[in-house]
Amino acid sequence: MPEGEKTRQCKQEEEHRQKEEEREGLIEFYGSYQELFQFFCSNTTIHGAIRLVCSKKNKMKTAFWSVLFFLTFGLMYWQFGILYREYFSYPVNLNLNLNSDRLTFPAVTLCTLNPYRYSAIRKKLDELDQITRQTLLDLYDYNMSLARSDWSTLSTRKRSSRSLLHHVQRHPLRRQKRDNLVNLPENSPSVDKNDWKIGFVLCSENNKDCFHQAYSSGVDAVREWYSFHYINILAQMPDAKALDESDFENFIYACRFNEATCDKANYTHFHHPLYGNCYTFNDNSSSLWTSSLPGINNGLSLVVRTEQNDFIPLLSTVTGARVMVHDQNEPAFMDDGGFNVRPGIETSISMRKEMTVRLGGSYSDCTEDGSDVPVQNLYSSRYTEQVCIRSCFQLNMVKRCGCAYYFYPLPAGAEYCDYTKHVAWGYCYYKLLAEFKADVLGCFHKCRKPCKMTEYQLSAGYSRWPSAVSEVRRGNGVAKVNIFFEEWNYKTNGESPAFTVVTLLSQLGNQWSLWFGSSVLSVMELAELILDFIAITFILALRWFRSRQQLSPPQPPPNSHDNTAFQDEGPGLSAPHRFTVEAVVTMLPSYNSLEPRGLSRDGEVGHE
């Protein structure tokens, strides 16, 4: 092949090789970090990055723009952290709505405030009253008048029955001197050193541990001591229906709703240990009362008798009735939400309905129906926070003391506390009550608020009833109660997320545009830079690892000699070597120049 053609072929191959190198591959890799960074700064849409390349000949400008670029970058991500922290705090907005619609009238519970001497327990109550009278006479030299005046009958009963006296003597009411005086405010009256504190003694079952349940007021101590024994008497009744002695006609003289007379289908009856007979109106879910108009004439009006005949004075020190307004399918906790109605007074109670709807999940610690609360609901009603707290205490009472407290529902398989069966239940109860109030039991932490709840804001007005000029003539123990809606509108307090995903993305975009003036595609360029950086790092590490392997000398076999002349070089005993063959093109000499000069001349002469 001619020499010129071979040279032209070599140039074509060199150009083809250069074109192959310049052709863009599927994935672009750079030879160094400097090349990667220079390409990114020259082609990115992020503002300020080009200054890091175009001012590379001026080191002062390069340093200035580098510091400014990374400072801006850090400030932006600091703002990002604030936004993320606010988002994951799950803030909410409070939405207030006013609705106008026909309102369902709430349930109304009315109690007599008169724990009667029921026939089933009358004998033991009379005996307890006699013991209490003697105790007050010994402590305060006070002669308490009892409801019954037949003292000879009481004396006969006291001789015939000694069981109650035995248990009362185990928990005696005592008066002790104060150990030290409590610091009182300046406006409080001074306390004499000879003042006494009063309470009753409670001991464990083996009488090894006793404590004095003391009170600052003697009246409170006597009432608590009397209530403790009264609960034991009630717990001894095998059937609670024996206490169901409803006297609706003698307690409620008149009942009207929306100017229509009430009947027995509109109320249910239950017995409360301290408040006596209680009646709940509008508790039947099948036929609930509705109020289409506000005002006193469109509500519930009751005329009740508040006289206390044959009552228990140490349990009921107030004359009147107790009223509570609550939602349907919720128990009436008269101690928490009730208020008293005085005799000879007309009490007008106006209501405003208010509904609260909370966001569940991550936004608040509320519960939808209580199924996710680790406390069993002992009440036959829907979940409320007070239902959960009382159920929690009762379950701990059964677990710790072996019996249930009489004021709360009875768990399955348990029985009420009675010192004829559970001698030291009072000691256990008061110890547990102190732990409950200090939240050692964790009931206030376990019981969460419901996500949906309905409340009634009440305001009361009072006036004398009946008036002096009125034709109505009642006894002094009669009272009138009016319960009605104040207005037709009711308020709904709702919650909505204050920081959603859309808001978060919008805020992040605003911060990115503020500090760099770029868009989402600029973020993708930054992500591409990070991926390329990781790829170059991996490639450079792989090259470094291979170069270390090539530079390391081969290790001789363990049985080989140092002299290579004694080593076999058979193909089966050693790995084949790799050779690099380089093609060398050499111009061959002309055959005429290899001939002898003499022969050449002779040939020429002969030819001539």
Side-chain angles (χ1 to χ4, degrees), residues 241-260:
K241 293 183 178 179
L243 304 177
D244 190 4
E245 297 181 4
S246 175
D247 195 9
F248 181 81
E249 290 79 8
N250 291 332
F251 173 55
I252 298 179
Y253 284 147
C255 172
R256 296 178 67 85
F257 178 78
N258 276 348
E259 302 298 331

Side-chain angles (χ1 to χ4, degrees), residues 334-350:
M334 307 302 294
D335 294 332
D336 297 338
F339 56 93
N340 296 334
V341 175
R342 294 179 294 177
I345 300 295
E346 181 179 5
T347 305
S348 298
I349 303 171
S350 60

Side-chain angles (χ1 to χ4, degrees), residues 62 122 222 238 241 285 349 369 454:
T62 302
R122 181 181 295 273
V222 174
K241 293 183 178 179
S285 58
I349 303 171
D369 54 1
T454 302

Side-chain angles (χ1 to χ4, degrees), residues 333-403:
F333 297 119
M334 307 302 294
D335 294 332
D336 297 338
F339 56 93
N340 296 334
V341 175
R342 294 179 294 177
I345 300 295
E346 181 179 5
T347 305
S348 298
I349 303 171
S350 60
M351 302 181 299
R352 286 180 299 172
K353 184 178 179 180
E354 184 173 338
M355 297 180 61
T356 302
V357 181
R358 299 182 180 91
L359 289 176
S362 302
Y363 291 95
S364 65
D365 194 27
C366 68
T367 176
E368 292 291 341
D369 54 1
S371 58
D372 54 344
V373 175
V375 177
Q376 179 186 357
N377 187 359
L378 299 179
Y379 290 81
S380 58
S381 63
R382 67 183 179 188
Y383 176 89
T384 64
E385 192 174 9
Q386 293 297 326
V387 164
C388 177
I389 290 175
R390 283 166 170 78
S391 299
C392 179
F393 178 82
Q394 185 74 305
L395 293 173
N396 281 277
M397 182 77 183
V398 174
K399 181 179 180 181
R400 184 84 63 87
C401 305
C403 57

Side-chain angles (χ1 to χ4, degrees), residues 55-85:
S55 61
K56 62 182 179 179
K57 293 183 179 181
N58 191 333
K59 295 183 178 180
M60 183 177 294
K61 285 188 176 182
T62 302
F64 170 75
W65 279 101
S66 298
V67 172
L68 184 60
F69 183 84
F70 288 106
L71 179 62
T72 305
F73 205 77
L75 290 175
M76 182 190 68
Y77 274 94
W78 173 61
Q79 294 291 328
F80 281 3
I82 295 177
L83 292 176
Y84 277 112
R85 183 178 62 182

Side-chain angles (χ1 to χ4, degrees), residues 167 170-171 202-209 211 228 232 397 400-403 417-432:
H167 293 292
R170 180 179 170 83
H171 308 87
L202 296 164
C203 297
S204 59
E205 190 170 358
N206 52 12
N207 293 328
K208 291 184 178 180
D209 185 18
F211 71 95
F228 173 72
N232 281 275
M397 182 77 183
R400 184 84 63 87
C401 305
C403 57
C417 293
D418 170 20
Y419 47 40
T420 61
K421 299 178 182 179
H422 313 89
V423 180
W425 82 265
Y427 169 85
C428 179
Y429 165 75
Y430 284 101
K431 287 283 188 181
L432 188 68

Side-chain angles (χ1 to χ4, degrees), residues 476-511:
N476 294 329
V478 177
K480 186 175 183 180
V481 183
N482 301 313
I483 304 174
F484 56 91
F485 280 110
E486 181 180 351
E487 54 185 12
W488 200 9
N489 300 327
Y490 66 95
K491 184 170 63 174
T492 302
N493 299 320
E495 292 180 348
S496 61
F499 213 91
T500 61
V501 177
V502 177
T503 308
L504 176 64
L505 294 177
S506 176
Q507 293 293 333
L508 292 177
N510 292 338
Q511 292 296 326

